[in-house]
Amino acid sequence: MEIQKIGVVGAGQMGNGIAHVAAVAGYDVWMSDISQDALDAAMTLIDRNMERQVSRELIAADAKAEAMARIRTSLKLADLGQCDLIIEAATERESVKQAIFEDLIPHLQPHTILTTNTSSISITRLASRTDRPERFMGFHFMNPVPVMQLVELIRGIATDRETYDSCLAVVERIGKTAASAEDFPAFIVNRILMPMINEAVYTLYEGVGNVRSIDQSMKLGANHPMGPLELADFIGLDTCLAIMNVLHEGLADTKYRPCPLLTKYVEAGWLGRKAKRGFYDYRGEEPVPTR
């Protein structure tokens, strides 16, 4: 099936990035959120990010104007019912995602493919709560979406070949690379990345090093572009904790136990960049380590 219209649920950092790359690739896009302020902020950010692409000669000015015109926003999920493919990019809580799919289902066309941008939740379990498990799969973009080249495609037990092929075609059209992952906790990227971040937090918790020394060690000693604690702040410490809990519960292995210090930061509301405090304090001109 050829995808022409794409619906995006959620206008946050992942949702607006997905809408951005889909529109640039020529898809008509409907982006929905429960907040008009979030939709307005998303459109402003998309415009700014596309303008940056124009200034770098990655896209032409007229292509930017055409892409912006292809994005429509709505507070009503029902307006996404006309789409061929829907990508849910709401908060990383299973109950929220299930409620979204329940609200969407009465408005969908028979051929509509449902996907989720979840970074860790079971695709098979989410699919089983819908009326189309064979047309449901994981469509996991990396953050920031316009920059990162990878998309994880995750099939649930019931996902059929046509659905996978249709989603693969979308990944190729938006100019990204697909990695096919099996439906096990956290898939590929976060199965490897999050335990590394969690171990960095344990290294801090146990006093082996401070925030700056841990991040410098991984940047200069392992050639990572960002230190693990800096990266955790960028991702969001609440998201990191949620993924570690999925790994710990889903695999029942103590090596995935979330570090108590990570839990403490989340309890304090120090969630990283978005909260202005995490392993670094972002309230001044330069980030300052908090430990």
Side-chain angles (χ1 to χ4, degrees), residues 126-246:
L126 285 172
S128 71
R129 307 292 179 86
T130 74
D131 66 339
R132 59 195 66 209
E134 71 284 353
R135 288 190 297 284
F136 189 106
M137 67 181 300
F139 209 127
H140 182 215
F141 288 84
M142 306 296 124
N143 183 37
V145 177
V147 176
M148 301 297 280
Q149 291 302 301
L150 185 74
V151 178
E152 285 182 316
L153 292 180
I154 308 104
R155 281 175 282 200
I157 286 177
T159 306
D160 65 24
R161 182 72 196 189
E162 183 182 5
T163 296
Y164 177 84
D165 288 344
S166 296
C167 290
L168 178 60
V170 171
V171 174
E172 292 172 346
R173 179 167 162 181
I174 63 178
K176 298 195 183 295
T177 300
S180 181
E182 294 301 317
D183 184 23
F184 291 101
F187 319 130
I188 296 173
V189 173
N190 284 318
R191 174 73 175 267
I192 298 168
L193 176 63
M194 286 302 158
M196 183 196 76
I197 288 175
N198 193 53
E199 194 62 28
V201 183
Y202 266 114
T203 305
L204 178 65
Y205 176 61
E206 294 169 2
V208 179
N210 61 28
V211 169
R212 196 176 299 281
S213 65
I214 291 167
D215 277 351
Q216 284 182 339
S217 293
M218 294 308 293
K219 285 194 285 188
L220 302 180
N223 205 28
H224 289 194
M226 296 174 72
L229 301 176
E230 180 187 7
L231 179 57
D233 276 356
F234 180 76
I235 294 168
L237 303 192
D238 52 340
T239 299
C240 294
L241 179 59
I243 296 171
M244 285 309 301
N245 280 326
V246 167

Side-chain angles (χ1 to χ4, degrees), residues 51-201:
E51 189 58 39
R52 187 178 295 116
Q53 289 180 310
V54 171
S55 68
R56 295 175 180 173
E57 299 183 347
L58 299 174
I59 60 173
D62 57 348
K64 176 208 165 183
E66 291 169 2
M68 289 298 298
R70 282 192 284 268
I71 304 174
R72 302 176 70 180
T73 63
S74 177
L75 294 170
K76 300 177 181 177
L77 274 177
D79 287 338
L80 275 61
Q82 62 189 289
C83 296
D84 305 308
L85 167 68
I86 292 177
I87 303 171
E88 171 273 317
T91 187
E92 190 71 355
R93 291 211 306 272
E94 189 165 350
S95 59
V96 172
K97 296 179 185 299
Q98 287 177 358
I100 288 168
F101 292 130
E102 287 173 7
D103 289 346
L104 272 171
I105 285 169
H107 309 289
L108 300 180
Q109 301 177 80
H111 71 268
T112 300
I113 294 172
L114 284 177
T115 68
T116 175
N117 186 57
T118 182
S119 54
S120 60
I121 298 170
S122 167
I123 304 303
T124 298
R125 190 165 64 241
L126 285 172
S128 71
R129 307 292 179 86
T130 74
D131 66 339
R132 59 195 66 209
E134 71 284 353
R135 288 190 297 284
F136 189 106
M137 67 181 300
F139 209 127
H140 182 215
F141 288 84
M142 306 296 124
N143 183 37
V145 177
V147 176
M148 301 297 280
Q149 291 302 301
L150 185 74
V151 178
E152 285 182 316
L153 292 180
I154 308 104
R155 281 175 282 200
I157 286 177
T159 306
D160 65 24
R161 182 72 196 189
E162 183 182 5
T163 296
Y164 177 84
D165 288 344
S166 296
C167 290
L168 178 60
V170 171
V171 174
E172 292 172 346
R173 179 167 162 181
I174 63 178
K176 298 195 183 295
T177 300
S180 181
E182 294 301 317
D183 184 23
F184 291 101
F187 319 130
I188 296 173
V189 173
N190 284 318
R191 174 73 175 267
I192 298 168
L193 176 63
M194 286 302 158
M196 183 196 76
I197 288 175
N198 193 53
E199 194 62 28
V201 183

